[in-house]
Amino acid sequence: MSNYYLWITGLFIGLISCSSPKSKQHEVELDQSEQNSHQIQVNSLSDTEDFYTWTNDRIPMVSAHRGGPYPGYPENAIETFSNVLKFTPAIIELDVAMTKDSVLVLMHDDDLSRTTTGTGKVNEVTYEYIQSLFLEDNDGNLTDFKVPTLEEALIWSKGKALLTVDIKRSVPYEKVIEAVRKTKSEAQAALISYSFEAAKKN
């Protein structure tokens, strides 16, 4: 995959180091339902803390920016996340925006026109409208993939990958925390904070 989309990290979000698990309990495992797919499994917050704890026998890991887009695989799509895991275990970075009717969806841009078949700003349209759209890859090629919700991504990640959630500035931090708690995804999801005040809400 292009290094433009998948980058090897030395420091993770400026605070933590991306590295492979240090014990058999945290080893990347093959999910029998997804052949040829690499998995990261954590079962608790202590597992996650162990995973991110650096030791000198660690190897670098891939962090897939916007999920690791690739020709035919648009950014911030669950199908794209799954495609990355065919090649390597990865930490998936994704972006969260909010619709007019307060549904959290995966979208980097404020506007829909670059990555979907729609137009307008995410926070000015309803989720019903978002559901009618299809995603386009970074070359503008149409796919049959839909815009996922944050909740769908959180549920997908369990037993497969760790997530770093980049929250757009117009999205209430509390809404994202609520989604993480509702899906019991605390061990899988690290929330990116741009302020100390937002971090205190976690």
CSV table of all heavy atoms in Angstrom, one decimal, residues 5-55:
chain,number,residue,atom,x,y,z
A,5,TYR,N,-0.7,6.8,2.3
A,5,TYR,CA,-1.9,6.5,3.1
A,5,TYR,C,-1.6,5.7,4.3
A,5,TYR,O,-2.3,5.8,5.3
A,5,TYR,CB,-2.9,5.7,2.2
A,5,TYR,CG,-3.3,6.5,1.0
A,5,TYR,CD1,-3.1,6.0,-0.3
A,5,TYR,CD2,-3.9,7.8,1.1
A,5,TYR,CE1,-3.5,6.7,-1.4
A,5,TYR,CE2,-4.3,8.5,0.0
A,5,TYR,CZ,-4.1,7.9,-1.2
A,5,TYR,OH,-4.5,8.6,-2.3
A,6,LEU,N,-0.6,4.9,4.3
A,6,LEU,CA,-0.2,4.1,5.5
A,6,LEU,C,1.1,4.6,5.9
A,6,LEU,O,2.1,4.5,5.2
A,6,LEU,CB,-0.2,2.6,5.2
A,6,LEU,CG,-1.5,2.0,4.7
A,6,LEU,CD1,-1.4,0.6,4.4
A,6,LEU,CD2,-2.6,2.2,5.8
A,7,TRP,N,1.3,5.0,7.2
A,7,TRP,CA,2.5,5.5,7.6
A,7,TRP,C,3.0,4.8,8.9
A,7,TRP,O,2.2,4.4,9.7
A,7,TRP,CB,2.5,7.0,7.9
A,7,TRP,CG,1.2,7.6,8.3
A,7,TRP,CD1,0.2,7.9,7.5
A,7,TRP,CD2,0.8,7.8,9.6
A,7,TRP,NE1,-0.9,8.4,8.3
A,7,TRP,CE2,-0.5,8.3,9.6
A,7,TRP,CE3,1.4,7.6,10.9
A,7,TRP,CZ2,-1.3,8.6,10.7
A,7,TRP,CZ3,0.6,7.9,12.0
A,7,TRP,CH2,-0.6,8.4,11.9
A,8,ILE,N,4.3,4.6,8.9
A,8,ILE,CA,4.9,3.9,10.1
A,8,ILE,C,5.1,5.0,11.2
A,8,ILE,O,5.7,6.0,10.9
A,8,ILE,CB,6.2,3.2,9.7
A,8,ILE,CG1,6.0,2.2,8.6
A,8,ILE,CG2,6.8,2.6,10.9
A,8,ILE,CD1,5.1,1.1,8.9
A,9,THR,N,4.6,4.7,12.3
A,9,THR,CA,4.7,5.7,13.4
A,9,THR,C,5.8,5.3,14.4
A,9,THR,O,6.0,4.2,14.7
A,9,THR,CB,3.4,5.8,14.2
A,9,THR,OG1,3.1,4.5,14.6
A,9,THR,CG2,2.3,6.3,13.3
A,10,GLY,N,6.5,6.4,14.9
A,10,GLY,CA,7.5,6.2,15.9
A,10,GLY,C,6.8,6.6,17.2
A,10,GLY,O,6.9,5.9,18.2
A,11,LEU,N,6.1,7.7,17.2
A,11,LEU,CA,5.3,8.2,18.4
A,11,LEU,C,3.9,8.2,18.0
A,11,LEU,O,3.6,8.6,16.9
A,11,LEU,CB,5.8,9.6,18.8
A,11,LEU,CG,7.2,9.6,19.5
A,11,LEU,CD1,7.5,11.0,19.8
A,11,LEU,CD2,7.2,8.8,20.7
A,12,PHE,N,3.0,7.8,18.8
A,12,PHE,CA,1.6,7.7,18.5
A,12,PHE,C,0.8,8.8,19.2
A,12,PHE,O,0.8,8.9,20.4
A,12,PHE,CB,1.1,6.3,18.9
A,12,PHE,CG,-0.3,6.0,18.5
A,12,PHE,CD1,-0.6,6.0,17.2
A,12,PHE,CD2,-1.2,5.7,19.4
A,12,PHE,CE1,-1.9,5.7,16.8
A,12,PHE,CE2,-2.5,5.3,19.0
A,12,PHE,CZ,-2.8,5.4,17.7
A,13,ILE,N,0.2,9.7,18.4
A,13,ILE,CA,-0.5,10.9,18.9
A,13,ILE,C,0.4,11.7,19.8
A,13,ILE,O,-0.1,12.4,20.7
A,13,ILE,CB,-1.8,10.5,19.7
A,13,ILE,CG1,-2.5,9.4,18.9
A,13,ILE,CG2,-2.7,11.7,19.8
A,13,ILE,CD1,-3.8,9.0,19.7
A,14,GLY,N,1.7,11.6,19.6
A,14,GLY,CA,2.6,12.4,20.4
A,14,GLY,C,2.8,11.9,21.9
A,14,GLY,O,3.5,12.5,22.6
A,15,LEU,N,2.0,10.9,22.2
A,15,LEU,CA,2.0,10.5,23.6
A,15,LEU,C,2.4,9.0,23.8
A,15,LEU,O,3.0,8.7,24.8
A,15,LEU,CB,0.6,10.7,24.3
A,15,LEU,CG,0.2,12.1,24.3
A,15,LEU,CD1,-1.3,12.1,24.8
A,15,LEU,CD2,1.0,13.0,25.2
A,16,ILE,N,2.0,8.2,22.8
A,16,ILE,CA,2.2,6.7,23.0
A,16,ILE,C,2.9,6.1,21.8
A,16,ILE,O,2.9,6.7,20.7
A,16,ILE,CB,0.8,6.0,23.2
A,16,ILE,CG1,-0.1,6.4,22.1
A,16,ILE,CG2,0.3,6.3,24.6
A,16,ILE,CD1,-1.5,5.8,22.2
A,17,SER,N,3.6,5.0,22.0
A,17,SER,CA,4.4,4.4,21.0
A,17,SER,C,3.6,3.3,20.3
A,17,SER,O,3.0,2.5,21.0
A,17,SER,CB,5.7,3.9,21.5
A,17,SER,OG,6.4,3.2,20.6
A,18,CYS,N,3.6,3.2,19.0
A,18,CYS,CA,2.9,2.1,18.3
A,18,CYS,C,3.9,1.0,18.2
A,18,CYS,O,5.0,1.1,17.7
A,18,CYS,CB,2.5,2.6,16.9
A,18,CYS,SG,1.2,3.8,16.9
A,19,SER,N,3.4,-0.2,18.7
A,19,SER,CA,4.3,-1.3,18.7
A,19,SER,C,3.5,-2.6,18.8
A,19,SER,O,2.4,-2.6,19.2
A,19,SER,CB,5.3,-1.2,19.9
A,19,SER,OG,4.6,-0.9,21.1
A,20,SER,N,4.2,-3.7,18.5
A,20,SER,CA,3.5,-4.9,18.5
A,20,SER,C,3.3,-5.4,20.0
A,20,SER,O,4.1,-5.0,20.9
A,20,SER,CB,4.3,-6.0,17.7
A,20,SER,OG,5.5,-6.2,18.3
A,21,PRO,N,2.4,-6.3,20.2
A,21,PRO,CA,2.1,-6.8,21.6
A,21,PRO,C,3.3,-7.4,22.3
A,21,PRO,O,4.1,-8.0,21.6
A,21,PRO,CB,0.9,-7.7,21.4
A,21,PRO,CG,0.3,-7.3,20.1
A,21,PRO,CD,1.4,-6.8,19.3
A,22,LYS,N,3.3,-7.4,23.6
A,22,LYS,CA,4.5,-7.9,24.3
A,22,LYS,C,4.3,-9.3,24.9
A,22,LYS,O,5.2,-9.8,25.5
A,22,LYS,CB,5.0,-6.9,25.3
A,22,LYS,CG,4.0,-6.7,26.5
A,22,LYS,CD,4.6,-5.8,27.5
A,22,LYS,CE,3.8,-5.6,28.7
A,22,LYS,NZ,4.3,-4.6,29.6
A,23,SER,N,3.0,-9.8,24.8
A,23,SER,CA,2.8,-11.1,25.4
A,23,SER,C,1.9,-11.9,24.6
A,23,SER,O,1.2,-11.3,23.7
A,23,SER,CB,2.2,-10.9,26.8
A,23,SER,OG,0.9,-10.4,26.7
A,24,LYS,N,1.8,-13.2,24.8
A,24,LYS,CA,0.9,-14.0,24.0
A,24,LYS,C,-0.5,-13.6,24.1
A,24,LYS,O,-1.3,-13.8,23.2
A,24,LYS,CB,1.1,-15.5,24.4
A,24,LYS,CG,2.4,-16.1,23.9
A,24,LYS,CD,2.5,-17.6,24.2
A,24,LYS,CE,3.8,-18.2,23.7
A,24,LYS,NZ,3.8,-19.6,24.0
A,25,GLN,N,-0.9,-13.1,25.3
A,25,GLN,CA,-2.2,-12.7,25.5
A,25,GLN,C,-2.7,-11.6,24.5
A,25,GLN,O,-3.8,-11.5,24.1
A,25,GLN,CB,-2.4,-12.1,26.9
A,25,GLN,CG,-3.8,-11.7,27.2
A,25,GLN,CD,-3.9,-11.2,28.6
A,25,GLN,OE1,-2.9,-11.0,29.3
A,25,GLN,NE2,-5.1,-10.9,29.1
A,26,HIS,N,-1.7,-10.8,24.0
A,26,HIS,CA,-2.0,-9.7,23.1
A,26,HIS,C,-1.5,-9.9,21.7
A,26,HIS,O,-1.5,-9.0,20.9
A,26,HIS,CB,-1.4,-8.4,23.7
A,26,HIS,CG,-1.8,-8.2,25.1
A,26,HIS,ND1,-3.1,-8.0,25.6
A,26,HIS,CD2,-1.0,-8.1,26.2
A,26,HIS,CE1,-3.1,-7.8,26.9
A,26,HIS,NE2,-1.8,-7.9,27.3
A,27,GLU,N,-1.1,-11.1,21.4
A,27,GLU,CA,-0.6,-11.4,20.1
A,27,GLU,C,-1.7,-11.1,19.0
A,27,GLU,O,-2.8,-11.3,19.2
A,27,GLU,CB,-0.1,-12.8,19.9
A,27,GLU,CG,1.3,-13.0,20.6
A,27,GLU,CD,1.7,-14.5,20.5
A,27,GLU,OE1,1.0,-15.3,19.9
A,27,GLU,OE2,2.8,-14.8,20.9
A,28,VAL,N,-1.2,-10.7,17.8
A,28,VAL,CA,-2.1,-10.6,16.7
A,28,VAL,C,-2.6,-11.9,16.4
A,28,VAL,O,-1.9,-12.9,16.2
A,28,VAL,CB,-1.4,-9.9,15.5
A,28,VAL,CG1,-2.3,-9.9,14.3
A,28,VAL,CG2,-0.9,-8.5,15.8
A,29,GLU,N,-3.9,-12.1,16.3
A,29,GLU,CA,-4.6,-13.4,16.0
A,29,GLU,C,-5.4,-13.4,14.8
A,29,GLU,O,-5.8,-12.3,14.3
A,29,GLU,CB,-5.5,-13.7,17.2
A,29,GLU,CG,-4.7,-13.9,18.5
A,29,GLU,CD,-5.7,-14.2,19.7
A,29,GLU,OE1,-6.9,-14.5,19.4
A,29,GLU,OE2,-5.2,-14.1,20.8
A,30,LEU,N,-5.5,-14.5,14.1
A,30,LEU,CA,-6.3,-14.7,12.9
A,30,LEU,C,-7.7,-15.0,13.3
A,30,LEU,O,-8.0,-15.9,14.0
A,30,LEU,CB,-5.7,-15.8,12.1
A,30,LEU,CG,-6.5,-16.1,10.8
A,30,LEU,CD1,-6.3,-14.9,9.8
A,30,LEU,CD2,-5.9,-17.4,10.1
A,31,ASP,N,-8.6,-14.1,12.9
A,31,ASP,CA,-10.1,-14.3,13.1
A,31,ASP,C,-10.5,-15.4,12.0
A,31,ASP,O,-10.4,-15.1,10.8
A,31,ASP,CB,-10.8,-13.0,12.9
A,31,ASP,CG,-12.3,-13.1,13.2
A,31,ASP,OD1,-12.8,-14.2,13.0
A,31,ASP,OD2,-12.9,-12.1,13.5
A,32,GLN,N,-11.1,-16.5,12.5
A,32,GLN,CA,-11.4,-17.6,11.5
A,32,GLN,C,-12.5,-17.1,10.5
A,32,GLN,O,-12.6,-17.7,9.5
A,32,GLN,CB,-11.9,-18.8,12.3
A,32,GLN,CG,-10.8,-19.4,13.2
A,32,GLN,CD,-9.6,-19.8,12.4
A,32,GLN,OE1,-9.7,-20.4,11.4
A,32,GLN,NE2,-8.4,-19.4,13.0
A,33,SER,N,-13.3,-16.1,10.9
A,33,SER,CA,-14.3,-15.7,10.0
A,33,SER,C,-13.8,-14.7,8.9
A,33,SER,O,-14.5,-14.4,8.0
A,33,SER,CB,-15.5,-15.0,10.8
A,33,SER,OG,-15.0,-13.8,11.4
A,34,GLU,N,-12.6,-14.3,9.1
A,34,GLU,CA,-12.0,-13.4,8.1
A,34,GLU,C,-10.6,-13.9,7.7
A,34,GLU,O,-9.6,-13.6,8.3
A,34,GLU,CB,-11.8,-12.0,8.6
A,34,GLU,CG,-13.2,-11.3,8.8
A,34,GLU,CD,-13.0,-9.8,9.1
A,34,GLU,OE1,-12.1,-9.2,8.5
A,34,GLU,OE2,-13.7,-9.3,10.0
A,35,GLN,N,-10.6,-14.9,6.8
A,35,GLN,CA,-9.3,-15.5,6.4
A,35,GLN,C,-8.4,-14.5,5.9
A,35,GLN,O,-8.7,-13.5,5.3
A,35,GLN,CB,-9.6,-16.6,5.3
A,35,GLN,CG,-10.5,-17.8,5.8
A,35,GLN,CD,-9.7,-18.6,6.9
A,35,GLN,OE1,-8.5,-18.8,6.8
A,35,GLN,NE2,-10.4,-19.0,7.9
A,36,ASN,N,-7.1,-14.8,6.1
A,36,ASN,CA,-6.0,-13.9,5.6
A,36,ASN,C,-6.1,-12.5,6.2
A,36,ASN,O,-5.7,-11.5,5.5
A,36,ASN,CB,-6.0,-13.8,4.1
A,36,ASN,CG,-5.8,-15.2,3.5
A,36,ASN,OD1,-5.0,-16.0,3.9
A,36,ASN,ND2,-6.6,-15.5,2.4
A,37,SER,N,-6.6,-12.3,7.3
A,37,SER,CA,-6.8,-11.0,8.0
A,37,SER,C,-6.0,-11.0,9.3
A,37,SER,O,-6.0,-12.0,10.0
A,37,SER,CB,-8.3,-10.7,8.2
A,37,SER,OG,-8.4,-9.5,8.8
A,38,HIS,N,-5.3,-9.9,9.5
A,38,HIS,CA,-4.5,-9.7,10.7
A,38,HIS,C,-5.3,-9.0,11.8
A,38,HIS,O,-6.0,-8.1,11.5
A,38,HIS,CB,-3.2,-8.9,10.4
A,38,HIS,CG,-2.3,-9.6,9.4
A,38,HIS,ND1,-2.5,-9.5,8.0
A,38,HIS,CD2,-1.3,-10.4,9.6
A,38,HIS,CE1,-1.6,-10.2,7.4
A,38,HIS,NE2,-0.8,-10.7,8.3
A,39,GLN,N,-5.2,-9.5,13.0
A,39,GLN,CA,-6.1,-9.0,14.1
A,39,GLN,C,-5.3,-8.5,15.2
A,39,GLN,O,-4.2,-9.0,15.5
A,39,GLN,CB,-7.0,-10.1,14.5
A,39,GLN,CG,-7.7,-10.9,13.5
A,39,GLN,CD,-8.8,-10.1,12.7
A,39,GLN,OE1,-9.7,-9.6,13.4
A,39,GLN,NE2,-8.7,-10.1,11.4
A,40,ILE,N,-5.8,-7.5,15.9
A,40,ILE,CA,-5.3,-7.1,17.2
A,40,ILE,C,-6.4,-7.3,18.2
A,40,ILE,O,-7.5,-6.7,18.1
A,40,ILE,CB,-4.8,-5.6,17.3
A,40,ILE,CG1,-3.7,-5.4,16.3
A,40,ILE,CG2,-4.4,-5.2,18.7
A,40,ILE,CD1,-3.3,-3.9,16.1
A,41,GLN,N,-6.2,-8.1,19.3
A,41,GLN,CA,-7.2,-8.4,20.2
A,41,GLN,C,-6.8,-7.9,21.6
A,41,GLN,O,-5.7,-8.2,22.1
A,41,GLN,CB,-7.5,-9.9,20.3
A,41,GLN,CG,-8.1,-10.4,19.0
A,41,GLN,CD,-8.8,-11.7,19.1
A,41,GLN,OE1,-9.2,-12.1,20.2
A,41,GLN,NE2,-9.1,-12.4,18.0
A,42,VAL,N,-7.6,-7.0,22.2
A,42,VAL,CA,-7.5,-6.6,23.6
A,42,VAL,C,-8.9,-6.8,24.2
A,42,VAL,O,-9.9,-6.6,23.6
A,42,VAL,CB,-7.0,-5.1,23.7
A,42,VAL,CG1,-5.6,-5.0,23.2
A,42,VAL,CG2,-8.0,-4.2,22.9
A,43,ASN,N,-8.8,-7.2,25.5
A,43,ASN,CA,-10.1,-7.5,26.2
A,43,ASN,C,-10.4,-6.5,27.3
A,43,ASN,O,-11.5,-6.6,27.9
A,43,ASN,CB,-10.0,-8.9,26.7
A,43,ASN,CG,-9.9,-9.9,25.6
A,43,ASN,OD1,-10.6,-9.9,24.6
A,43,ASN,ND2,-8.9,-10.8,25.7
A,44,SER,N,-9.5,-5.7,27.6
A,44,SER,CA,-9.7,-4.8,28.8
A,44,SER,C,-8.8,-3.6,28.6
A,44,SER,O,-7.8,-3.6,27.8
A,44,SER,CB,-9.4,-5.5,30.1
A,44,SER,OG,-8.0,-5.8,30.2
A,45,LEU,N,-9.0,-2.5,29.4
A,45,LEU,CA,-8.1,-1.4,29.4
A,45,LEU,C,-6.7,-1.7,29.8
A,45,LEU,O,-5.8,-1.1,29.3
A,45,LEU,CB,-8.7,-0.3,30.3
A,45,LEU,CG,-10.0,0.4,29.8
A,45,LEU,CD1,-10.6,1.4,30.8
A,45,LEU,CD2,-9.6,1.2,28.5
A,46,SER,N,-6.6,-2.7,30.7
A,46,SER,CA,-5.2,-3.0,31.1
A,46,SER,C,-4.5,-3.7,29.9
A,46,SER,O,-3.3,-3.6,29.7
A,46,SER,CB,-5.2,-3.9,32.3
A,46,SER,OG,-5.9,-5.1,32.1
A,47,ASP,N,-5.2,-4.5,29.1
A,47,ASP,CA,-4.6,-5.1,27.9
A,47,ASP,C,-4.2,-4.0,27.0
A,47,ASP,O,-3.1,-4.1,26.4
A,47,ASP,CB,-5.7,-5.9,27.2
A,47,ASP,CG,-6.0,-7.3,27.8
A,47,ASP,OD1,-5.3,-7.6,28.9
A,47,ASP,OD2,-6.9,-8.0,27.3
A,48,THR,N,-5.0,-3.0,26.8
A,48,THR,CA,-4.6,-1.9,25.9
A,48,THR,C,-3.4,-1.1,26.4
A,48,THR,O,-2.5,-0.8,25.7
A,48,THR,CB,-5.8,-0.9,25.8
A,48,THR,OG1,-7.0,-1.6,25.4
A,48,THR,CG2,-5.6,0.2,24.7
A,49,GLU,N,-3.4,-0.9,27.7
A,49,GLU,CA,-2.2,-0.2,28.3
A,49,GLU,C,-1.0,-1.0,28.1
A,49,GLU,O,0.1,-0.5,27.7
A,49,GLU,CB,-2.4,0.0,29.8
A,49,GLU,CG,-1.3,0.8,30.5
A,49,GLU,CD,-1.6,1.0,32.0
A,49,GLU,OE1,-2.7,0.7,32.5
A,49,GLU,OE2,-0.7,1.6,32.6
A,50,ASP,N,-1.0,-2.3,28.3
A,50,ASP,CA,0.1,-3.2,28.0
A,50,ASP,C,0.5,-3.1,26.5
A,50,ASP,O,1.7,-3.1,26.2
A,50,ASP,CB,-0.2,-4.7,28.3
A,50,ASP,CG,-0.3,-4.9,29.8
A,50,ASP,OD1,0.2,-4.1,30.6
A,50,ASP,OD2,-0.8,-6.0,30.2
A,51,PHE,N,-0.5,-3.1,25.6
A,51,PHE,CA,-0.2,-3.0,24.2
A,51,PHE,C,0.6,-1.8,23.9
A,51,PHE,O,1.5,-1.9,23.1
A,51,PHE,CB,-1.5,-3.1,23.4
A,51,PHE,CG,-1.3,-3.0,21.9
A,51,PHE,CD1,-1.2,-4.2,21.2
A,51,PHE,CD2,-1.2,-1.8,21.3
A,51,PHE,CE1,-1.0,-4.2,19.8
A,51,PHE,CE2,-1.1,-1.8,19.9
A,51,PHE,CZ,-1.0,-3.0,19.2
A,52,TYR,N,0.2,-0.7,24.4
A,52,TYR,CA,0.9,0.6,24.1
A,52,TYR,C,2.2,0.9,24.9
A,52,TYR,O,2.8,1.9,24.7
A,52,TYR,CB,-0.1,1.8,24.3
A,52,TYR,CG,-1.1,1.9,23.2
A,52,TYR,CD1,-2.5,2.0,23.5
A,52,TYR,CD2,-0.7,1.9,21.9
A,52,TYR,CE1,-3.4,2.1,22.5
A,52,TYR,CE2,-1.7,2.0,20.9
A,52,TYR,CZ,-3.0,2.1,21.2
A,52,TYR,OH,-4.0,2.2,20.2
A,53,THR,N,2.5,0.0,25.9
A,53,THR,CA,3.7,0.2,26.7
A,53,THR,C,4.9,-0.2,25.9
A,53,THR,O,5.0,-1.4,25.4
A,53,THR,CB,3.6,-0.6,28.0
A,53,THR,OG1,2.5,-0.2,28.7
A,53,THR,CG2,4.9,-0.4,28.8
A,54,TRP,N,5.9,0.7,25.7
A,54,TRP,CA,7.0,0.4,24.9
A,54,TRP,C,8.0,-0.5,25.6
A,54,TRP,O,8.3,-0.4,26.8
A,54,TRP,CB,7.8,1.7,24.5
A,54,TRP,CG,8.9,1.5,23.6
A,54,TRP,CD1,8.9,1.4,22.3
A,54,TRP,CD2,10.3,1.3,24.0
A,54,TRP,NE1,10.2,1.1,21.8
A,54,TRP,CE2,11.0,1.1,22.8
A,54,TRP,CE3,10.9,1.3,25.3
A,54,TRP,CZ2,12.4,0.9,22.9
A,54,TRP,CZ3,12.3,1.1,25.3
A,54,TRP,CH2,13.0,0.9,24.1
A,55,THR,N,8.6,-1.5,24.9
A,55,THR,CA,9.7,-2.2,25.4
A,55,THR,C,10.7,-2.3,24.2
A,55,THR,O,10.4,-2.1,23.0
A,55,THR,CB,9.3,-3.7,25.8
A,55,THR,OG1,8.8,-4.3,24.7
A,55,THR,CG2,8.4,-3.6,26.9
